[in-house]
């Protein structure tokens, strides 16, 4: 029969050992805070320090970031990632009047929060909750195409693996044992605003605006692990 988990999968860990079993203790309780993280993206033409500004793609900035990791002696864990603010700017050369693709949030709440909990014991049960609060996105088509080209440039066309090569790396079947588990995922989006610009070089350009008050997506996945 399936062994019951010793941890309630609420957003926070809460152990409740069975009668006669020792209560799990905390083995790791780690907190990391980072004031700011910035990432600048450039296209393939950026080869020297002198021309790097002429080949910008986008700049990302994460402010007031924190990470907390808590682990119990039975293998259960809880991880929490908080981003107080998240911004994205268009750094492509040109006369764009709308450089802020994702402006700074106009509230004091956390803009992005990810919480993950996993139970201990032989039955793997996980819960992940991702919350994004009041994101605003303003973009034209050209910067989005530039971003897509940047992220897909690493996947250059390569020869597909032949059937013989695939068979060569296939390992022989061995005796395995199977354990089952489940994973729950929830995505909560609040007060979304998306504006698609017709021409970002014109200050009074026409735009299509999409607003969503709240979007909640929940999914449960059951899986089997072979050992």
């Amino acid at each position: 029969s399936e062994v019951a988990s010793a941890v309630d999968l609420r957003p926070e860990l809460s152990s409740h050992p069975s009668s006669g079993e020792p209560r799990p203790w905390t083995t790791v309780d780690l907190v990391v805070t980072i004031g700011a993280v910035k990432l600048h993206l450039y296209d393939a033409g950026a080869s020297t320090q002198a021309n790097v500004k002429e080949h910008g793609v986008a700049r990302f900035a994460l402010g007031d970031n924190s990470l907390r990791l808590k682990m119990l002696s039975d293998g259960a864990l809880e991880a929490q990632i908080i981003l107080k603010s998240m911004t994205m700017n268009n750094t492509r050369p040109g006369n764009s009047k709308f450089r802020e693709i994702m402006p700074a949030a106009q509230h004091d709440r956390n803009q992005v929060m990810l919480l993950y909990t996993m139970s201990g014991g032989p039955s793997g049960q996980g819960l992940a909750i991702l919350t994004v609060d009041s994101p605003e996105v303003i973009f034209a088509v050209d910067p989005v195409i530039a971003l897509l080209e940047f992220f897909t440039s690493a996947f250059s066309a390569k020869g597909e693996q032949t059937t013989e090569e695939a068979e060569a790396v296939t390992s022989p079947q061995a005796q395995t044992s199977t354990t089952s588990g489940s994973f729950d995922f929830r995505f909560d989006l609040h007060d979304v605003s998306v504006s698609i610009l017709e021409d970002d070089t014109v200050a009074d350009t026409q735009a299509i605006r999409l607003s969503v008050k709240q979007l909640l997506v929940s999914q449960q996945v059951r899986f089997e692990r072979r050992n």
Side-chain angles (χ1 to χ4, degrees):
S1 61
E2 186 176 356
V3 179
S5 170
V7 172
D8 282 329
L9 282 181
R10 304 186 182 100
E12 295 82 19
L13 293 178
S14 176
S15 60
H16 52 91
S18 302
S19 178
E21 295 183 358
R23 177 179 293 275
W25 64 90
T26 301
T27 57
V28 176
D29 196 346
L30 174 68
V31 178
V32 179
T33 59
I34 303 175
V37 177
K38 296 182 179 180
L39 174 64
H40 295 252
L41 306 182
Y42 303 94
D43 62 27
S47 56
T48 64
Q49 188 67 28
N51 71 354
V52 69
K53 291 184 178 180
E54 301 173 3
H55 298 278
V57 176
R59 179 178 69 247
F60 298 86
L62 307 177
D64 295 333
N65 315 287
S66 66
L67 165 66
R68 179 173 182 178
L69 176 64
K70 180 179 180 181
M71 298 182 64
L72 301 182
S73 58
D74 62 353
L77 68 85
E78 171 191 334
Q80 178 179 268
I81 300 175
I82 294 178
L83 309 179
K84 186 70 175 182
S85 66
M86 179 174 61
T87 62
M88 180 169 61
N89 292 74
N90 173 21
T91 59
R92 296 173 64 249
N95 299 320
S96 176
K97 306 296 184 181
F98 299 87
R99 289 293 178 180
E100 292 185 315
I101 299 177
M102 183 178 294
Q106 302 300 313
H107 57 76
D108 294 331
R109 302 180 300 275
N110 298 322
Q111 192 164 3
V112 180
M113 184 170 65
L114 174 63
L115 183 61
Y116 175 72
T117 53
M118 183 180 71
S119 65
S123 59
Q125 299 180 29
L127 170 64
I129 302 175
L130 176 62
T131 303
V132 182
D133 192 355
S134 305
E136 182 179 3
V137 182
I138 304 171
F139 67 91
V141 176
D142 290 345
V144 174
I145 293 177
L147 280 171
L148 291 176
E149 290 177 349
F150 177 87
F151 287 110
T152 57
S153 61
F155 304 98
S156 57
K158 297 180 180 179
E160 295 184 356
Q161 189 179 37
T162 61
T163 304
E164 293 78 7
E165 292 174 339
E167 293 176 352
V169 298
T170 303
S171 58
Q173 294 184 351
Q175 190 71 24
T176 61
S177 59
T178 302
T179 58
S180 62
S182 65
F183 175 76
D184 294 351
F185 176 77
R186 288 195 299 230
F187 176 59
D188 197 358
L189 198 59
H190 295 273
D191 295 329
V192 188
S193 174
V194 179
S195 298
I196 306 174
L197 308 176
E198 181 183 22
D199 185 358
D200 63 343
T201 62
V202 179
D204 58 349
T205 182
Q206 293 185 341
I208 298 175
R209 181 173 180 135
L210 172 65
S211 298
V212 178
K213 186 64 176 177
Q214 184 176 15
L215 176 64
L216 177 62
V217 179
S218 179
Q219 185 175 12
Q220 183 180 46
V221 179
R222 293 198 60 85
F223 59 89
E224 291 185 352
R225 294 181 296 182
R226 298 181 181 275
N227 302 320

